[in-house]
Amino acid sequence: MLRSREKMERKKMEEENQCKRKLRVCVATCNRADYSKLAPIMSGIKMHPDEFELEVVVLGSHLIDDYGNTFRMIEQDDFDIGSKLHTIVRGEDEAAMVESVGLALVKLPDVLQRLSPDILVIHGDRFDALALATAAALMNIRILHVEGGEVSGTIDDSIRHAISKLAHYHACCTRGAEQHLIAMCEDHTRILLAGCPVYDKLLSSNHRDDYMDIIKSWLGDDSQECEYIVALQHPVTTDIQHSIKIYGLMLDALLSFNKKTLILYPNIDAGSKEMVRVMRKKGIEQHPNFRAVKHIPFEQFIQLVKHAGCMIGNSSCGVREAGAFGTPVINLGTRQTGRETGENVLHVRDADTHNKIYHALELQFGKRYPCSKIYGDGNAVPRILKFLRAIDLNEPLQKTFCFPPVRDCISQDIDHILETQSALAVDLGGTNLRVAIVSMRGKIVRKYTQPNPKTFEARMQLMLKMCADAMQDTVCLNCRILGVGVSTGGRVNPQEGVVLHSTKLIQEWSSVDLRTPISDALHLPVWIDNDGNCAALAERKFGHGKGVENFVTVITGTGIGGGIIHHNELVHGSTFCAAELGHIMVSLEGPECSCGSRGCIEAYASGFALQREAKRLHDEDQLKVDGMDVKLTEPITAAHLINAAKLGNSRADAVLNKASTALGIGIINILHIVNPTLVILSGVLASYYQAPVKRIISERALDSAQKIEVVTTDLEEPALLGAASMVLDYATRRLY
């Protein structure tokens, strides 16, 4: 029974292993340098065919003859290349690099879609790798980035960090690189401190008995161990001219130093052609001390570096791989600034002549340093394979960032915004000065009212004091004031915040800059407009005009005013006197208006006009009727006229009929000019005028305008709400 149970368990495990899908890993290599780091990983994957399925994509300078057609060494290493992409646009300048990235982005989607890998392995900081990472991230393919988090000079830093932000997983080489990735808010659970994969090969096979044969094959039969120099320098793309200058000085120093030198051609970065021209101009390719080569197989190259008397240039190989052998290195310029290095590296950041470089050669040549394991201990590949096995393909693809804790920001929850973000609204009326705190929802949180002083100085002083008092109250009311909106009678230039001239009810109020003193006192933005325009704005944001593209608001109060909304925007006119609806003339010989003209709507239908007519009837003893009580001390108002008409006073009714007709005809003129879809009546007389105006429109307007809706406002404080709406609309545009 025990044997039977063991047999069943083995069978079950075998079935589970068969059901477990192989991890499809695509390794993309762009040049000879990154292949040296990726090859050990590729070999490790290939050694476990039961767990992994390897796909190899080759692009970039691997496929260019000038750089040695290095794809052949991948084939010689017995890797099957699934796709070869010619992605390099020749030119070796900045534009060519950009065009090469674009060409790679055009070609990569088809390849990645066909291969459909579970994970794409990318190395380093080359522009080709950036194209790979961009394409894979947009196609929802998981990315493992090798050697992220390191710091160096040139544009490589930016590209490397950009790839890290696109990558889902990271295999870094040093403790410092790991800390950099964590500081960049990468999830620490997806970061593996593996070490550099190339160190697995360096530390396991750094000694070869045939190393002298390799040296002689590349440098000549008379070459000796530690009696030659390896030179490898690339352009610095962020400072091409300076890097070319340093390159020329390096060649001058090497010529003067008079030692055998193996010099490799620079990589494909912008500026490489200029470097080659400098090399040829100095006759390096024909000089007996120099051997200029495009490519050396990596296994042979590391033997040449190990046994060199010195390595010079700005290649990462000098600050990384050479440390494993203790080879003395001279690092030139800024390309590797920030790299972690061992004591074998001597930096020459800048030089005006070749003397400084020559002196560095004297100091370094022939020395030996302790071997450094900063970049690895020889076990990177097993760690990376274990890391790959642990990847859960069912976990969300969307990467998350581990941001450090910060102070709570102001809540952006919509309900919180609508409750706490508020405006300070000011209504400068003929009788009263009113200030209110208005919330985003249009709720008047608190209102302050004072009689409006007659003089300019007193009026300004009171307004600023009331605003300051309101600002103090906002603290306990939990309101955040975004700005101040001011509604006032008369003609206003809202662009400059200036009252050009006001009504007769507000004296000493012409060419007054309201914006500057209020803004200076409260340190807030200030918006100012005519009270009729503010009423229209209030309707647009909080009232019947909400969502209506074209409508007109008509205020029927002490005077007649209003505002026009056309295509969702307030109409101001060229001199800011549009929508002076009260001064539309409906008669050539009508009563005199406050504007100095005759026959205006305001002269017939305003509260002031009705009060005037009521007083006239009262003086003629023709106002009072049965059931109507008028006290001797009581001032006569428009309300008395309306009450008398309701009780059957024919003279009062005739006055009101004429006023309604004048208002209705004026509104018909508006309908025929701007053709709104809605008319909103506001003010104390709105409810009385609604029915007569509708009747007159139906009798006298064009057929196309007769069915335009006429409603009365539901807003209790249109002037204050309109002033607030200017603030709430403009000050919050960035948030919505």
Side-chain angles (χ1 to χ4, degrees), residues 401-430:
F401 300 102
C402 297
F403 295 107
V406 295
R407 289 179 58 191
D408 290 339
C409 62
I410 297 171
S411 174
Q412 290 300 303
D413 177 83
I414 187 64
D415 292 324
H416 186 75
I417 289 172
L418 294 177
E419 286 298 330
T420 62
Q421 290 192 351
S422 306
L424 205 60
V426 178
D427 176 29
L428 183 65

Side-chain angles (χ1 to χ4, degrees), residues 305 311 314-323 327-329 341 344-345:
V305 171
M311 184 174 183
N314 63 4
S315 169
S316 62
C317 177
V319 298
R320 297 170 64 95
E321 284 87 337
T327 302
V329 173
T341 63
N344 63 311
V345 179

Side-chain angles (χ1 to χ4, degrees), residues 271-313:
S272 60
K273 280 197 170 185
E274 287 85 346
M275 281 188 166
V276 173
R277 290 192 192 101
V278 171
M279 184 171 67
R280 288 174 176 163
K281 186 176 180 180
K282 294 180 182 294
I284 297 298
E285 292 169 315
Q286 289 77 38
H287 196 283
N289 274 352
F290 287 82
R291 294 291 185 272
V293 297
K294 294 177 180 177
H295 168 67
I296 302 173
F298 182 72
E299 290 77 7
Q300 298 182 40
F301 180 67
I302 60 175
Q303 294 300 317
L304 290 164
V305 171
K306 177 181 179 181
H307 298 284
C310 180
M311 184 174 183
I312 188 169

Side-chain angles (χ1 to χ4, degrees), residues 537-579:
L537 292 174
E539 295 293 342
R540 184 181 69 175
K541 188 167 184 66
F542 303 114
H544 292 301
K546 196 171 184 178
V548 180
E549 188 175 3
N550 301 288
F551 70 89
V552 174
T553 297
V554 180
I555 303 175
T556 57
T558 305
I560 300 289
I564 299 172
I565 300 293
H566 185 64
H567 295 316
N568 293 316
E569 294 294 333
L570 187 64
V571 177
H572 281 105
S574 60
T575 57
F576 312 107
C577 66

Side-chain angles (χ1 to χ4, degrees), residues 414-489:
I414 187 64
D415 292 324
H416 186 75
I417 289 172
L418 294 177
E419 286 298 330
T420 62
Q421 290 192 351
S422 306
L424 205 60
V426 178
D427 176 29
L428 183 65
T431 304
N432 292 318
L433 177 59
R434 300 184 302 158
V435 174
I437 302 169
V438 181
S439 74
M440 187 71 78
R441 294 182 187 274
K443 176 186 176 183
I444 295 179
V445 179
R446 184 165 293 180
K447 185 168 64 174
Y448 313 79
T449 304
Q450 291 285 345
N452 200 352
K454 300 301 181 184
T455 65
F456 169 78
E457 291 80 6
R459 192 178 302 129
M460 287 297 301
Q461 187 176 2
L462 178 61
M463 184 188 304
L464 294 176
K465 182 181 184 304
M466 291 175 70
C467 288
D469 291 343
M471 287 293 294
Q472 288 183 349
D473 290 344
T474 58
V475 178
C476 61
L477 294 171
N478 193 33
C479 293
R480 184 159 64 94
I481 299 299
L482 301 175
V484 183
V486 180
S487 168
T488 181

